[in-house]
Amino acid sequence: NKTLVVEIHEHFLNGSGAALVKGKALALPVAGASQLLELLNDTYYINSNAYWNDVSYSGKTYLTLRADGSNARINIYSDLTSGRTVSIYATNQAYISLNADTNLSTLSLSGGAQAYVGGGGNNTISSLTVDGGGSKASLSYSKNLNISSASVTNGAVIQADDSGSSGRTYKIGTLRVTNSGIFKTNYIKPFQITDLYMQERGRVKVGTMGQVRVSGTIYMNTCGRMCTYSGYSKSEKGIFYYKNSDNSG
């Protein structure tokens, strides 16, 4: 048995067709396949101090979750995303956790929101956007992580660390790092990127025992930077590869 902990607004289904979830928590027990929680709308709002936990779910093919405010939390497992197009937008210090075998259309973080993507399984995100100081996406402990496109801007951070990454796959199709955004990785060998764009002081940092391998285009402009740095010894220094060559950049 699992529990969804939220508070339902007095107008649960409002005129726009969206359910409002906010305020103090109300526990709604969900038990067994015969008693699935059927969420009839496309969009749900999780506000400060509300918690959308993993639930048994029956509902729309297209689902949007919007988390807004400190301590607003969304915890997602594969059952919710399987066979659905799911988009998550988080802002104002909300926190998102994506566990094993989740598949998202959109994950958007802003205003200090943070997300963890991992759980040891296969995770797929079509579009990852991280914007603004304090906003951060942590990528770790996925068997296979595939992100079609990602952007990190305005002082936000995407950080990828996995000390047990041997045999695991981390991929981003197109990565855009702009306006003092930072992408950094440690230990992953390699983190694979097809096309990389660095502009307006965007930085890519390859750290302790990490590798970044770019197979397509690298575009750098207006103080875009890439750097490698060492751990405790020279042998732990991060390495950058371009076009699948064996020469670090």
Side-chain angles (χ1 to χ4, degrees):
N1 295 349
K2 298 176 181 179
T3 300
L4 170 68
V5 182
V6 296
E7 179 185 286
I8 308 304
H9 190 272
E10 61 180 347
H11 302 295
F12 181 76
L13 301 178
N14 66 14
S16 66
L20 300 177
V21 183
K22 64 183 183 178
K24 295 181 180 179
L26 171 67
L28 301 178
V30 181
S34 63
Q35 295 176 295
L36 297 178
L37 177 65
E38 185 166 2
L39 303 176
L40 300 178
N41 292 283
D42 295 329
T43 301
Y44 292 83
Y45 295 85
I46 298 90
N47 289 350
S48 292
N49 298 313
Y51 187 21
W52 176 294
N53 198 16
D54 181 38
V55 298
S56 298
Y57 172 86
S58 174
K60 296 282 189 175
T61 301
Y62 296 92
L63 176 66
T64 298
L65 301 177
R66 295 185 178 273
D68 184 354
S70 60
N71 297 318
R73 298 174 66 89
I74 297 176
N75 189 26
I76 299 294
Y77 286 81
S78 60
D79 290 349
L80 181 69
T81 65
S82 179
R84 296 186 178 89
T85 300
V86 178
S87 298
I88 297 178
Y89 299 86
T91 190
N92 294 329
Q93 300 180 350
Y95 183 80
I96 312 299
S97 179
L98 303 180
N99 298 283
D101 303 321
T102 53
N103 184 356
L104 290 185
S105 173
T106 301
L107 176 59
S108 176
L109 308 172
S110 62
Q114 298 196 15
Y116 165 80
V117 181
N122 302 308
N123 296 297
T124 302
I125 302 172
S126 295
S127 175
L128 171 63
T129 302
V130 190
D131 179 62
S135 300
K136 183 178 180 180
S138 298
L139 315 178
S140 184
Y141 301 108
S142 292
K143 182 178 180 181
N144 294 289
L145 175 63
N146 195 330
I147 301 172
S148 298
S149 66
S151 66
V152 55
T153 59
N154 296 317
V157 176
I158 296 176
Q159 181 157 348
D161 295 334
D162 188 347
S163 59
S165 64
S166 177
R168 300 174 184 173
T169 302
Y170 288 81
K171 293 181 179 180
I172 294 178
T174 300
L175 174 61
R176 299 181 182 275
V177 188
T178 62
N179 295 324
S180 300
I182 299 173
F183 173 87
K184 58 183 178 181
T185 181
N186 297 284
Y187 301 108
I188 296 173
K189 299 180 179 181
F191 198 111
Q192 301 176 50
I193 299 170
T194 302
D195 296 313
L196 174 60
Y197 297 81
M198 293 171 286
Q199 297 172 270
E200 302 292 343
R201 300 185 183 277
R203 289 171 288 169
V204 173
K205 304 172 70 174
V206 189
T208 304
M209 299 177 68
Q211 297 177 5
V212 166
R213 186 180 296 271
V214 180
S215 60
T217 300
I218 296 178
Y219 179 86
M220 299 180 68
N221 188 25
T222 319
C223 299
R225 291 182 289 171
M226 172 174 283
C227 66
T228 61
Y229 58 95
S230 298
Y232 293 105
S233 66
K234 186 176 180 180
S235 63
E236 294 182 347
K237 186 175 182 178
I239 301 175
F240 169 69
Y241 297 95
Y242 179 52
K243 295 286 189 181
N244 294 315
S245 70
D246 291 326
N247 297 316
S248 59

